[in-house]
């Protein structure tokens, strides 16, 4: 079992719809959770961080964390074609507090 | 721009050659990470520095790989006797001063390595 798993995708949504991206993790002791966006050929760009159970909203993005279920999600409201990218879920694990990533979900927003 | 810079941005080399990459992290931060990303996968942790000390190395870091961070400033990652399987994006990351959490890592633009 991978330490961080994401829904495999690819995911396509029409412009203006809500995109829902999901992630589960194996380490119950993890405290910090992140969503990165990665455009093709570019490096990951941080879009959300979440540390406590519940929802955290930032503009059109909402991150949700449920530590009991070891589940974190990202909702993108009013999806735009510019949101088309790969979204990476990352969790701090290990003594170096390094990030462990899922394999990413490719999102396409159709005009 | 995260303030993390990497050089070169692209490197093409022949199998068996040595390559070296450089990372200049966000200034005033003592933590620096190296990751490797292959096509279709998320980044994978390679190694971690706190100041000039290399405190953690992943099993991915074979004996052909060596990393340094002299004086706790910039860092270099060297790959000796490159193999085609080394082709990947090599990413450097560090936390940002004054960020809400020191767990938050910001990535440089990466170095894309192609081994022919």
């Amino acid at each position: 079992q991978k330490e961080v798993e994401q829904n495999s995708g690819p995911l396509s949504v029409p412009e203006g719809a809500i995109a829902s991206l999901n992630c589960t993790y194996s380490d119950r002791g993890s405290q910090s959770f992140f969503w990165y966006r990665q455009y093709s050929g570019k490096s990951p760009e941080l879009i959300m961080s979440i540390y406590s159970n519940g929802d955290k909203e930032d503009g059109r993005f909402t991150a949700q964390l449920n530590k009991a279920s070891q589940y974190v999600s990202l909702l993108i409201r009013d999806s735009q074609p510019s949101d088309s990218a790969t979204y990476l879920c990352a969790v701090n694990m290990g003594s170096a507090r390094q990030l462990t990533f899922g394999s990413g979900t490719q999102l396409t927003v159709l005009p | 721009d995260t303030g993390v810079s990497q050089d070169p941005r692209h490197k093409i080399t022949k199998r068996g050659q040595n390559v070296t990459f450089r990372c200049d992290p966000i200034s005033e931060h003592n933590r620096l990470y190296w990751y490797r990303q292959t096509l279709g996968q998320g980044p994978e942790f390679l190694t971690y520095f706190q100041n000039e000390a290399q405190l953690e190395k992943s099993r991915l870091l074979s004996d052909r790989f060596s990393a340094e961070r002299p004086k706790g400033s910039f860092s270099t990652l060297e790959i000796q006797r490159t193999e085609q399987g080394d082709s990947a994006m090599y990413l450097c990351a560090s936390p940002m001063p004054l960020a809400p959490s020191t767990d938050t890592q910001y990535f440089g633009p990466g170095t894309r390595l192609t081994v022919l």
Side-chain angles (χ1 to χ4, degrees):
Chain A
Q1 181 187 0
K2 294 187 69 174
E3 294 178 295
V4 178
E5 296 205 49
Q6 296 185 238
N7 45 339
S8 55
L11 176 65
S12 292
V13 299
E15 184 174 356
I18 296 175
S20 177
L21 305 164
N22 303 314
C23 174
T24 58
Y25 60 94
S26 61
D27 184 358
R28 284 194 171 274
S30 297
Q31 297 295 319
S32 304
F33 307 87
F34 307 92
W35 285 98
Y36 288 83
R37 177 176 63 198
Q38 187 172 30
Y39 293 113
S40 180
K42 303 295 185 182
S43 64
E45 171 193 10
L46 179 71
I47 53 172
M48 289 289 286
S49 59
I50 187 165
Y51 309 101
S52 304
N53 280 329
D55 294 358
K56 179 182 178 183
E57 186 174 320
D58 184 0
R60 296 186 296 111
F61 298 98
T62 299
Q64 300 173 316
L65 175 61
N66 183 326
K67 290 185 180 179
S69 301
Q70 296 174 245
Y71 175 89
V72 58
S73 66
L74 179 70
L75 298 177
I76 307 174
R77 291 183 301 281
D78 188 23
S79 295
Q80 301 297 308
S82 59
D83 295 327
S84 298
T86 296
Y87 289 80
L88 296 162
C89 173
V91 181
N92 277 114
M93 293 183 181
S95 56
R97 309 296 293 158
Q98 66 266 33
L99 295 174
T100 299
F101 285 85
S103 55
T105 299
Q106 185 176 348
L107 172 67
T108 301
V109 181
L110 304 170
Chain B
D1 184 3
T2 62
V4 181
S5 60
Q6 293 187 245
D7 184 68
R9 299 287 298 275
H10 303 275
K11 179 70 177 179
I12 299 174
T13 191
K14 293 181 179 179
R15 188 177 55 187
Q17 297 295 304
N18 299 343
V19 294
T20 299
F21 312 138
R22 176 177 170 130
C23 170
D24 286 88
I26 296 165
S27 61
E28 302 176 19
H29 214 292
N30 59 4
R31 292 164 55 196
L32 183 150
Y33 297 82
W34 284 98
Y35 294 83
R36 181 176 72 182
Q37 186 177 24
T38 54
L39 200 62
Q41 300 299 315
E44 296 173 289
F45 169 70
L46 291 178
T47 191
Y48 161 66
F49 287 87
Q50 184 162 319
N51 298 311
E52 67 276 10
Q54 188 176 18
L55 297 184
E56 189 87 12
K57 291 193 287 187
S58 129
R59 289 171 296 173
L60 293 176
L61 214 66
S62 76
D63 56 6
R64 295 185 299 106
F65 288 69
S66 62
E68 293 182 340
R69 193 182 182 196
K71 303 180 182 178
S73 55
F74 70 92
S75 177
T76 59
L77 178 68
E78 180 183 17
I79 309 174
Q80 296 182 327
R81 305 181 303 281
T82 52
E83 302 173 354
Q84 288 181 325
D86 297 330
S87 296
M89 172 86 88
Y90 290 84
L91 295 159
C92 177
S94 80
M96 188 174 287
L98 305 180
S101 166
T102 56
D103 280 348
T104 308
Q105 295 180 26
Y106 296 86
F107 285 87
T111 295
R112 168 80 61 191
L113 173 66
T114 301
V115 181
L116 302 176

